[in-house]
Amino acid sequence: MAVELKVPPLGESITEAVVGKWNKKKGEAVSADEPLVVLETDKVTIDVPAPAAGSVATIAFNEGDKVRVGDVLGTIEAGAGASAPAPQAAAPAPAAAPAAAATSAGTDVRMTPTARKIVEENKLDVAQLKGSGTGGRITKEDALGQLNRPAEAPAQRAPAAPSGPRPRADREERVKMTPLRRRVAERLVQAQSTAAILTTFNEVDMGAVMELRKQHQEKFLARHGVKLGFMSFFIRAAVEALKAFPQVNAEIDGDDVVFKHYYDIGVAVSGSRGLVVPVVRDADTQSMAELEKKVGDYGTRARNDKLTLAELQGGTFTITNGGIFGSMLSTPIINPPQTGILGMHNIVERPVARNGQVVIRPIMYLALSYDHRLIDGREAVQFLVRIKDCIEDPTRLLLEI
């Protein structure tokens, strides 16, 4: 019995993906729920599991091909005694509704109430819809995908070949941009074209934090099972600064300013396909150990492409640490619709003046990029000074002063 392998729902507002990698070839055996194909979207990478045990019968899309929610990626020839197919792949027949029913505004086709509303309001042809829900039910994502398809057609017809001959083409290599990299490019251009971005700098003496880590590292590790790093200090310091300067934790929505009384801090981590920013929810309520565990878990799963779409959405403020790559100074770009981003850098021993004496101290440069439409220079400078004070005197984080 052939079982269809379909593109699952990819998340809110995501209707298409790119086939990144097939883990099995045609004819190879596969176990039920074994990751069979990797799909890349502009936000996350998704493993699509085999709906049943058996062998790969057909592969409908090659690596690099674009697919949409509900498309059939291929089929599995279920073997004797194979487990029943997963509900989302079972009973594909209802999706292929009769033509007469398909043209009657979807009244005789199984679909969710939200999907039916979209179909009726936009007069969509249900015959063109493929249901990705249970039993072939048409979902909101299926309807939105069909609604957005015409608008996306011009982008799909973008020229795939160079406009003219390249003199040294024999020594060049041309590869497609990944969906994630295309999305990063779009967001960066969007940020610079819609926000008035300025950057202010300061330096922070890391000596107190480094001494505190050295003094308590062994006990901290033994009790919590995780090392005490720098990121938890900066998250806590950022939260204290955001409480003091709430406009840095706000966003512009049309003619309104939305002040957020919660602190969801995005932490930029390096994934296998580029930089991603998972969000630490309600960072103000978490202990140092909880913050370290969360950031460490995000970093590990980012490298293994295991982050979920929900973990990458939202966020009120972002922290990025270019210092782990050796960066001395940078001007980070805001992640819209946020209005601020903190850039950390590498720690270098430098001569500084202390009480009339020149001493060597571990110094880090900090950068705060902010949206000048909402945040004035005075507030931006004071915000960064507040972080500097918290890091140079970590007891402030305990006393919240």
Side-chain angles (χ1 to χ4, degrees):
M1 178 182 67
V3 180
E4 291 182 338
L5 176 70
K6 291 185 176 182
V7 178
L10 302 172
E12 185 71 25
S13 77
I14 302 180
T15 59
E16 71 173 18
V18 172
V19 178
K21 179 184 178 183
W22 281 93
N23 296 323
K24 297 287 185 178
K25 297 179 180 179
K26 184 177 178 180
E28 290 187 342
V30 61
S31 303
D33 297 325
E34 179 182 358
L36 184 55
V37 60
V38 178
L39 299 180
E40 298 178 3
T41 74
D42 58 9
K43 295 180 180 179
V44 293
T45 300
I46 299 171
D47 287 325
V48 181
S55 61
V56 180
T58 62
I59 293 178
F61 294 92
N62 298 319
E63 295 179 4
D65 288 348
K66 287 186 178 181
V67 293
R68 303 183 67 83
V69 173
D71 284 349
V72 178
L73 295 166
T75 58
I76 305 296
E77 187 63 35
S83 59
Q88 64 269 25
T103 57
S104 60
T107 56
D108 298 325
V109 179
R110 297 185 64 194
M111 63 179 69
T112 64
T114 303
R116 187 180 300 280
K117 181 179 179 181
I118 295 173
V119 169
E120 293 175 350
E121 289 180 350
N122 297 276
K123 296 180 173 59
L124 299 180
D125 183 0
V126 185
Q128 301 298 320
L129 294 175
K130 294 182 178 180
S132 61
T134 303
R137 181 186 296 270
I138 294 173
T139 66
K140 171 186 174 183
E141 287 74 18
D142 301 329
L144 288 175
Q146 178 64 22
L147 180 62
N148 295 330
R149 186 186 294 269
E152 294 174 356
Q156 295 175 358
R157 293 194 296 267
S163 56
R166 300 180 64 86
R168 308 193 73 178
D170 59 323
R171 300 181 65 180
E172 296 176 342
E173 180 183 6
R174 183 179 296 271
V175 297
K176 291 285 187 181
M177 289 181 69
T178 65
L180 175 61
R181 179 52 56 187
R182 288 201 306 270
R183 183 58 174 166
V184 168
E186 293 170 2
R187 297 281 286 181
L188 295 180
V189 173
Q190 175 191 357
Q192 293 193 323
S193 63
T194 60
I197 302 178
L198 292 180
T199 305
T200 185
F201 303 94
N202 212 320
E203 64 179 24
V204 57
D205 188 334
M206 297 294 294
V209 167
M210 294 175 71
E211 180 59 31
L212 190 151
R213 291 177 67 234
K214 180 179 179 181
Q215 182 179 354
H216 300 288
Q217 186 68 271
E218 290 186 5
K219 292 182 179 179
F220 189 89
L221 177 61
R223 180 169 182 177
H224 301 291
V226 63
K227 289 186 176 181
L228 180 61
F230 292 123
M231 187 56 72
S232 58
F233 287 95
F234 278 94
I235 292 177
R236 292 287 293 272
V239 168
E240 292 304 312
L242 291 171
K243 290 180 178 179
F245 300 94
Q247 61 268 50
V248 187
N249 201 48
E251 72 173 78
I252 297 175
D253 186 10
D255 293 331
D256 299 328
V257 177
V258 181
F259 288 94
K260 302 171 183 178
H261 303 297
Y262 55 93
Y263 305 92
D264 292 349
I265 308 300
V267 180
V269 294
S270 183
S272 65
R273 292 172 174 81
L275 202 65
V276 291
V277 187
V279 179
V280 179
R281 310 287 177 186
D282 297 315
D284 58 316
T285 66
Q286 300 191 40
S287 67
M288 302 285 279
E290 289 172 330
L291 292 174
E292 290 293 348
K293 290 178 181 178
K294 178 67 71 173
V295 173
D297 175 62
Y298 279 159
T300 299
R301 290 195 288 122
R303 290 188 293 272
N304 295 319
D305 298 320
K306 298 299 182 182
L307 291 175
T308 66
L309 181 62
E311 292 169 329
L312 297 171
Q313 291 179 326
T316 62
F317 184 77
T318 296
I319 301 176
T320 180
N321 184 7
I324 59 176
F325 304 110
S327 172
M328 183 185 75
L329 196 61
S330 66
T331 56
I333 299 178
I334 295 171
N335 183 22
Q338 298 173 21
T339 56
I341 180 172
L342 176 69
M344 300 165 54
H345 300 90
N346 62 344
I347 302 172
V348 177
E349 290 191 341
R350 294 189 176 93
V352 296
R354 292 286 188 271
N355 300 320
Q357 301 291 325
V358 176
V359 295
I360 305 299
R361 301 296 299 170
I363 301 297
M364 174 192 288
Y365 288 136
L366 297 178
L368 174 70
S369 291
Y370 60 98
D371 191 341
H372 201 15
R373 296 178 300 167
L374 182 59
I375 304 167
D376 292 330
R378 179 184 64 180
E379 284 75 23
V381 171
Q382 291 177 334
F383 178 90
L384 204 52
V385 169
R386 185 61 173 262
I387 291 180
K388 169 185 170 71
D389 291 342
C390 289
I391 297 299
E392 291 186 341
D393 184 4
T395 56
R396 287 174 173 263
L397 298 177
L398 298 177
L399 302 177
E400 297 183 353
I401 58 175

